[in-house]
Amino acid sequence: MLDETLLALADPTRRAILSRLARGEARVTDVAKPFAISLNSVSKHIRMLERARLVRRRIEGREHFLALDPTPLDEAADWIAAQKTLWAWRLGELEKALTDG
Amino acid sequence: MLDETLLALADPTRRAILSRLARGEARVTDVAKPFAISLNSVSKHIRMLERARLVRRRIEGREHFLALDPTPLDEAADWIAAQKTLWAWRLGELEKALTDG
DNA sequence: AACATATTCATCCCTACGGGTGAATATTGA
DNA sequence: TCAATATTCACCCGTAGGGATGAATATGTT
């Protein structure tokens, strides 16, 4: 799932959609309104966010309400945090080696 | 830069390359060795990692030595952490509203 | 109820790009 | 000269991003 999560987050439009949804549940049209791109594109972006499990959809008649699901963010944050630790350790060793030499 | 960073991280091969480089500097061939894919593909992945500023290249004769640059990870980690906070706050408000109602 | 209208979202088609390969091309090392 | 290192090129395949069109649902009017 990490692939889909990071791929979904790698687009500024999708990140903006997530920021919008962080202010509260919204319909597809509401989400699309601030963007200059077509509603179709927004719909596709939302589908990618759903595939990444970052967004859930609740259908009421013709209206589709979107809400955030923060769960996948944890996995992404964990991976990045782990890498930062590893890299910092490695660079620290390198620094030490340079200092000793 | 956040776009390139997250896009670069969204591929398992590139994440494996980063993990390899976390163990120390390495040449392109060394990095490519464990993978079943061709050297060309690895070269392309490395270029994407360079574009994302996650990897730096030092050329010595015919050998290209690759090393990590952890800087962009901070930006990514910060964005995710900020979103987690915002989302948690929003979901907390929702919880509160449901409890009050 | 029945029909027209407006709104919402999905589907079809095209273009661009990521990911993969093999072959060709410098460039350096032995 | 010959082998090793890495890039570049041309290409194929799958998919994301975009506009245009169509289907489904809700709303309003007679």
Side-chain angles (χ1 to χ4, degrees):
Chain A
M1 304 296 298
L2 188 53
D3 297 30
E4 287 82 359
T5 302
L6 292 170
L7 186 58
L9 295 179
D11 183 272
T13 300
R14 287 193 287 270
R15 290 199 302 275
I17 291 175
L18 293 175
S19 294
R20 166 66 186 84
L21 292 178
R23 304 207 318 268
E25 203 180 46
R27 298 174 305 162
V28 173
T29 306
D30 300 331
V31 169
K33 197 155 299 173
F35 297 102
I37 63 179
S38 73
L39 188 61
N40 309 338
S41 296
V42 175
S43 184
K44 286 192 180 178
H45 283 303
I46 291 171
R47 246 178 300 164
M48 287 197 67
L49 291 169
E50 282 185 288
R51 193 202 304 177
R53 310 289 183 197
L54 286 162
V55 163
R56 285 181 302 101
R57 183 190 303 247
R58 174 173 56 82
I59 301 180
E60 262 183 35
R62 69 179 172 186
E63 295 173 319
H64 294 210
F65 290 92
L66 306 173
L68 293 177
D69 182 354
T71 313
L73 275 195
D74 292 330
E75 193 187 356
D78 289 350
W79 189 88
I80 291 181
Q83 292 302 315
K84 277 179 67 174
T85 303
L86 284 177
W87 299 12
W89 176 84
R90 168 65 200 169
L91 295 176
E93 290 294 305
L94 181 61
E95 173 81 11
K96 208 163 56 181
L98 289 176
T99 312
D100 292 353
Chain B
M1 305 295 299
L2 189 54
D3 297 31
E4 286 83 1
T5 302
L6 292 169
L7 186 57
L9 295 178
D11 182 273
T13 300
R14 286 192 289 270
R15 291 201 300 276
I17 291 175
L18 294 175
S19 294
R20 167 64 187 85
L21 292 179
R23 304 207 317 270
E25 203 180 44
R27 299 174 305 160
V28 173
T29 306
D30 300 331
V31 169
K33 198 155 297 173
F35 297 102
I37 63 179
S38 72
L39 189 60
N40 305 340
S41 293
V42 175
S43 184
K44 283 190 184 181
H45 284 304
I46 291 171
R47 240 181 304 162
M48 288 198 67
L49 291 170
E50 283 186 287
R51 195 204 302 177
R53 311 287 184 198
L54 286 162
V55 164
R56 287 182 300 102
R57 182 191 304 250
R58 174 173 56 84
I59 302 180
E60 261 184 36
R62 67 183 171 186
E63 296 173 319
H64 294 210
F65 289 92
L66 307 172
L68 295 177
D69 181 354
T71 314
L73 274 194
D74 291 331
E75 193 187 358
D78 288 350
W79 188 89
I80 292 182
Q83 292 302 314
K84 278 180 67 174
T85 304
L86 284 176
W87 298 13
W89 176 85
R90 168 65 199 171
L91 295 176
E93 290 293 306
L94 181 61
E95 173 81 10
K96 209 164 57 181
L98 289 176
T99 312
D100 292 355

